[in-house]
Amino acid sequence: MHTVYLSLGSNIGDKQAYLQDAVSLLGQNTAILIDKKSKFYQTSPVGGVEQDDFVNMALKISTTLEPTNLLEFIHEIEAQLNRVRKIHWGPRTIDIDILFYGNEQIFENDLIVPHKEVFNRLFVLVPLLEVLEQDFPYEQQVKQAIEKLKDTEQEVVEIPAQKPARKRIEHAVREILSAVGENPEREGLLETPERVAKMYEEILSSQKLTQFEEYKLFKIEKTAQDQTILIKDIPFYSMCEHHMLPFFGKANVAYIPKDGNIIGLSKIPRLVNYVSHKLSVQENITRDIAEILNDILEPKGVAVVVEARHMCVEMRGVKKGNSQTKTSFFMGEFEENRETRLEFLESLN
Ligand SMILES: Nc1nc2c(c(=O)[nH]1)N=C([C@H](O)[C@H](O)COP(=O)(O)OP(=O)(O)OP(=O)(O)O)CN2
């Protein structure tokens, strides 16, 4: 077994939840033992990129994985937690760096160990010192580097560990139940907090995702005329961000391919699910389906029409039962060419 020290950081979304998810995914690998976890620290961003504060932590692990296999597994976890590399040292849902791999010196193109910045970053050093084993060869160097960086503007503040998201939702549901005059301990409600927490994970499954990736593109013979590809009546369910009540209905999505580029037909309903499985409003769902499809395919045109019933209109307030809300969003030829747009709208009847 090799003793390895990792630094973890996140500054997008539910930062601690991303760190907790990363630790649990690391621990699920039978070749990895999590020996010690540091506390969580709120830290000011280092590296000159204007961005949100990070939450950082460090881990001491024992592993049979060789360095490159460990790095490969780390990259898989980062991908699973929707890490998107846009700006060097920029914002990220999760970043996991190998700081030390035993006493080994590693110089490979995508892996330098000890990590090249380890002694320049207080957000790494403070959590690392917490998990360092006694007589670790670099222990003195870590302590000296902390002393040296203490008076810089690098802020590292310990913060309390938040409960995992599901536990926080269960607690909140119990609070709501008692606040509306219910007894959360009564027979019918005992498991309700847990059921609601599980339900939110399912119906808000896109909430933490940062980009739609479930698609496959194909190339077809460039057709003689620019045919419109329409997927009609795609059922969807979402939750309105104003009252956290369901709204649901059907989405109609059309596009005109350019240069024979098409998307797998099943991927459009998946895109509708990706866009709708988060707190939103119907206008944003309609626009997001169109804009994401347009970004992926760069077609000649995209058209989306969504029709839905809103429980926030039917169950409360104006209480207008069975009313349908229709929203549309057109891009490219569907926006510029009235005839193309009308032809699409007629095809929905
Ligand atoms: N307060 C913090 N500031 C910064 C953090 C952090 O976690 N807390 N992280 C970074 C870096 O983006 C991150 O540490 C990765 O840096 P590094 O391993 O040195 O280089 P990469 O090749 O992984 O950088 P990419 O961004 O992935 O290209 C900056 N500040």
Side-chain angles (χ1 to χ4, degrees), residues 7-11 41-49 51-57 75 78 83-92 94-98 110 115-118 121-124 154-156:
S7 170
L8 292 81
S10 169
N11 73 337
Y41 294 84
Q42 169 131 354
T43 65
S44 56
V46 167
V49 174
Q51 58 187 318
D52 205 2
D53 279 0
F54 281 77
V55 173
N56 286 104
M57 70 180 295
H75 286 164
E78 290 178 336
R83 157 84 183 264
V84 176
R85 286 174 184 263
K86 280 188 178 154
I87 310 166
H88 183 54
W89 289 7
R92 56 215 40 221
I94 188 69
D95 186 77
I96 308 171
D97 290 326
I98 299 175
D110 57 353
H115 189 283
K116 54 194 181 315
E117 298 292 336
V118 61
R121 295 169 161 183
L122 213 49
F123 70 80
V124 169
Q154 291 187 32
E155 285 163 29
V156 177

Side-chain angles (χ1 to χ4, degrees), residues 332-349:
E333 280 199 24
F334 288 106
E335 186 182 18
E336 291 139 20
N337 182 326
R338 186 170 180 279
E339 203 183 302
T340 309
R341 188 165 59 250
L342 290 179
E343 211 177 282
F344 161 72
L345 292 171
E346 270 154 35
S347 69
L348 300 186
N349 299 332

Side-chain angles (χ1 to χ4, degrees), residues 108-152:
E108 285 166 20
N109 50 7
D110 57 353
L111 184 61
I112 296 174
V113 178
H115 189 283
K116 54 194 181 315
E117 298 292 336
V118 61
F119 296 113
N120 304 325
R121 295 169 161 183
L122 213 49
F123 70 80
V124 169
L125 292 158
V126 171
L128 173 63
L129 187 59
E130 252 193 271
V131 298
L132 270 193
E133 67 197 318
Q134 285 296 333
D135 310 326
F136 181 68
Y138 294 93
E139 186 181 2
Q140 282 317 309
Q141 231 173 309
V142 167
K143 288 178 176 172
Q144 285 156 11
I146 290 174
E147 274 316 302
K148 193 176 82 179
L149 293 170
K150 253 189 174 156
D151 301 330
T152 63

Side-chain angles (χ1 to χ4, degrees), residues 208-224:
K208 288 185 186 174
L209 302 184
T210 51
Q211 66 175 12
F212 177 63
E213 295 180 320
E214 287 185 270
Y215 63 88
K216 195 164 174 46
L217 303 182
F218 300 92
K219 201 124 174 104
I220 52 169
E221 283 309 306
K222 216 167 141 351
T223 46

